[in-house]
Amino acid sequence: MELFYAYDADGRTCRLDAEESGHCCRVLRHRSGNEIHVIDGLGTMYRCRLTDDSPKGAEAEVLETFPGWGGHPYRLTVACCPTKNNDRFEWFVEKATEIGVDRIVPTIGERSERKVYKTDRADRIALSATKQSLKARIPEIAVPVTVKEFIRQADSDCLKLIAYCFEGDTKRISIQEALQDYDGNDITVLIGPEGDFSPEEARLALEYGYIPVHLGASRLRTETAAVLAATAVYLRYE
Amino acid sequence: MELFYAYDADGRTCRLDAEESGHCCRVLRHRSGNEIHVIDGLGTMYRCRLTDDSPKGAEAEVLETFPGWGGHPYRLTVACCPTKNNDRFEWFVEKATEIGVDRIVPTIGERSERKVYKTDRADRIALSATKQSLKARIPEIAVPVTVKEFIRQADSDCLKLIAYCFEGDTKRISIQEALQDYDGNDITVLIGPEGDFSPEEARLALEYGYIPVHLGASRLRTETAAVLAATAVYLRYE
């Protein structure tokens, strides 16, 4: 099943941008009258009939609407510090999208080696992983913020978890335990940079109600920890 | 903490091959008398003193022995069909090694697009991921076999799981459910190729005692499914 992304979908008509139109009408040779499946990136999939097969700007008429198509029963934000090697962070974006994530926030830590992150490639990866894994909602790739800004922004109602090895007597529970103890479905997980959080960042997280969790005995790379955290949430709501 | 791999470790002396010796003595400039940490790839880590700092073939004397260092409380074999794109399978090898796997078996399915797989790159990735994630045991990358051969070989005592969407009334449980119902710690998971298993392969698996499991609602790529299965096992024994 091939999905196309409509930048504009009003419930009756879906409009594809030049890239999607070219893929639909030039590469895959769809012609007016053909049935295609289109997502709006916001959670709805449309069964459509192609009415304009222009490879510059195709249009399709909606035949059937599937709201919440390919969705998941939780709302997950993963805030993760971009890795030195961009491929590793982008791999996390692809895998988290396949598994099921709602929002990815590139956070810059005081000890991050990468202080600047451009989200355009991640946006494209999230879109293609969304289509490939048959989902209708594209996870939001947020504008990068510092770890401290992100902690201060986080809304108070959700379950907030931070994967960090706190010194001293700060007790940590496993991420599964934290998830089992929580009966809501709105979760934020904060994953540190390769150089880990600074003690100030960690203290601030505790102040703002973050629960310190561990991800088990293995020593994981940043991007592996982020995908493992997303997987733990996904499995929790299965 | 930097680990070096000894191709030969008799409990008193560790010998490094040319590549590891060059990294230890040329790149990192370790000299005779320096203390280094060496793994034998079989599960033991040694604290050593370098006695020969030759970048062609370094030797170190064992000061302290740590058996089962960085190990995990289960034995996991993941049999997975290599992906068209080699990077994706190699990414699975790296991530499964970080998380904790004992044996990776590249299996060739009747519907596999990739019929041949060379394991040399995967061997190198498994070694570097083992050192990077501070483990002493390098997962075995087995010689590729066909899916049917693998199914016929699998030993009868372990929990055998196959991720496959069976037609008709073959009931599937979630992988977590299957793991919770099992009180042992020896697990084999079989993950299909991009073209999925053939019905004959699936039937043979059932015949040989494989339990059909699903990995949740998301549609995952082959390598993502393989890593998610390894993660489910890892989290189960936390």
Side-chain angles (χ1 to χ4, degrees):
Chain A
M1 178 185 206
E2 181 83 25
L3 294 175
F4 303 98
Y5 167 64
Y7 69 91
D8 177 18
D10 60 16
R12 288 190 311 286
T13 309
C14 293
R15 294 176 181 80
L16 311 188
D17 65 14
E19 191 175 345
E20 293 286 307
S21 300
H23 185 62
C24 178
C25 306
R26 189 183 307 108
V27 180
L28 297 172
R29 295 204 168 71
H30 282 297
R31 292 289 163 258
S32 295
N34 289 177
E35 207 169 284
I36 61 172
H37 294 89
V38 178
I39 60 169
D40 65 359
L42 305 169
T44 300
M45 190 274 278
Y46 300 97
R47 190 168 62 81
C48 297
R49 177 176 294 109
L50 199 59
T51 51
D52 176 347
D53 56 18
S54 150
K56 291 267 184 303
E59 284 190 20
E61 154 201 23
V62 172
L63 303 174
E64 199 173 358
T65 302
F66 302 86
W69 190 75
H72 46 259
Y74 55 85
R75 174 164 171 76
L76 173 62
T77 296
V78 179
C80 182
C81 299
T83 48
K84 274 172 288 179
N85 172 344
N86 250 329
D87 294 353
R88 293 187 170 278
F89 190 80
E90 289 167 357
W91 163 80
F92 148 63
V93 170
E94 176 182 299
K95 294 317 173 195
T97 302
E98 275 180 60
I99 291 161
V101 66
D102 297 280
R103 194 159 152 262
I104 289 172
V105 185
T107 47
I108 310 301
E110 293 175 341
R111 298 184 179 173
S112 286
E113 296 199 30
R114 177 179 297 282
K115 297 289 187 191
V116 180
Y117 182 74
K118 293 201 178 60
T119 59
D120 48 352
R121 277 176 53 98
D123 287 328
R124 283 199 299 280
I125 288 163
L127 168 58
S128 85
T130 299
K131 295 194 292 181
Q132 196 275 335
S133 60
L134 302 186
K135 299 178 190 298
R137 191 178 178 291
I138 305 166
E140 173 197 354
I141 311 293
V143 176
V145 292
T146 67
V147 166
K148 285 180 171 177
E149 280 176 86
F150 178 77
I151 290 169
R152 293 199 183 91
Q153 286 167 12
D155 86 67
S156 49
D157 304 341
C158 70
L159 177 70
K160 297 191 285 295
L161 307 176
I162 179 171
Y164 177 67
C165 178
F166 286 86
E167 258 95 74
D169 47 13
T170 309
K171 161 176 165 303
R172 293 189 308 167
I173 57 177
S174 72
I175 186 165
Q176 304 102 280
E177 213 180 325
L179 291 167
Q180 287 304 339
D181 295 349
Y182 174 61
D183 55 11
N185 62 0
D186 191 355
I187 299 126
T188 292
V189 184
L190 181 51
I191 304 287
E194 280 136 329
D196 213 339
F197 294 112
S198 71
E200 296 68 31
E201 290 168 332
R203 263 196 300 279
L204 189 69
L206 294 186
E207 221 176 275
Y208 276 79
Y210 276 79
I211 299 170
V213 294
H214 66 77
L215 303 178
S218 288
R219 180 207 195 209
L220 306 170
R221 286 180 177 275
T222 295
E223 76 278 7
T224 316
V227 171
L228 189 135
T231 303
V233 171
Y234 169 77
L235 293 173
R236 155 74 173 80
Y237 290 92
E238 260 317 307
Chain B
M1 179 184 202
E2 181 83 25
L3 294 175
F4 303 98
Y5 166 63
Y7 69 91
D8 176 18
D10 60 15
R12 287 190 312 285
T13 310
C14 293
R15 295 176 181 80
L16 311 188
D17 65 15
E19 191 175 345
E20 292 287 308
S21 301
H23 184 63
C24 178
C25 306
R26 189 181 308 106
V27 180
L28 297 172
R29 294 205 168 71
H30 281 298
R31 293 287 162 259
S32 295
N34 288 179
E35 208 170 282
I36 61 172
H37 294 89
V38 178
I39 60 169
D40 65 358
L42 304 170
T44 299
M45 191 273 278
Y46 300 97
R47 189 168 62 82
C48 297
R49 176 175 296 108
L50 201 57
T51 51
D52 176 347
D53 57 19
S54 150
K56 291 270 186 299
E59 284 191 19
E61 152 201 27
V62 172
L63 303 173
E64 200 175 357
T65 302
F66 303 87
W69 190 76
H72 46 259
Y74 54 83
R75 173 161 173 79
L76 173 62
T77 296
V78 179
C80 181
C81 297
T83 49
K84 273 173 287 178
N85 172 344
N86 249 329
D87 294 353
R88 295 189 169 275
F89 190 80
E90 289 167 357
W91 164 80
F92 147 64
V93 170
E94 177 182 297
K95 294 318 173 193
T97 302
E98 275 181 59
I99 291 161
V101 67
D102 298 280
R103 194 158 152 263
I104 289 172
V105 185
T107 46
I108 310 301
E110 292 175 338
R111 297 183 179 175
S112 286
E113 296 200 29
R114 175 178 298 282
K115 298 289 189 191
V116 179
Y117 182 74
K118 292 199 175 60
T119 59
D120 48 352
R121 276 175 55 96
D123 288 328
R124 283 199 300 280
I125 288 164
L127 168 58
S128 86
T130 298
K131 294 194 294 182
Q132 197 276 335
S133 60
L134 303 186
K135 299 178 190 298
R137 192 177 178 292
I138 305 167
E140 174 197 354
I141 311 292
V143 176
V145 292
T146 67
V147 165
K148 286 181 172 177
E149 282 176 87
F150 179 78
I151 291 170
R152 292 199 183 92
Q153 285 168 11
D155 83 69
S156 49
D157 304 340
C158 71
L159 177 69
K160 297 190 286 292
L161 306 175
I162 179 171
Y164 177 67
C165 177
F166 286 85
E167 258 94 74
D169 49 12
T170 308
K171 165 176 161 305
R172 292 192 306 167
I173 58 177
S174 72
I175 187 165
Q176 306 102 278
E177 211 180 328
L179 289 167
Q180 286 304 338
D181 295 350
Y182 174 62
D183 56 12
N185 62 359
D186 192 355
I187 299 127
T188 292
V189 183
L190 181 52
I191 304 287
E194 282 136 328
D196 211 341
F197 294 112
S198 71
E200 295 69 31
E201 290 168 332
R203 261 197 301 278
L204 189 69
L206 294 186
E207 221 176 277
Y208 276 79
Y210 276 79
I211 298 170
V213 295
H214 66 76
L215 303 177
S218 289
R219 181 205 194 213
L220 306 170
R221 286 179 177 275
T222 295
E223 76 279 6
T224 317
V227 172
L228 188 134
T231 303
V233 171
Y234 170 77
L235 293 172
R236 155 71 174 82
Y237 291 91
E238 260 317 306

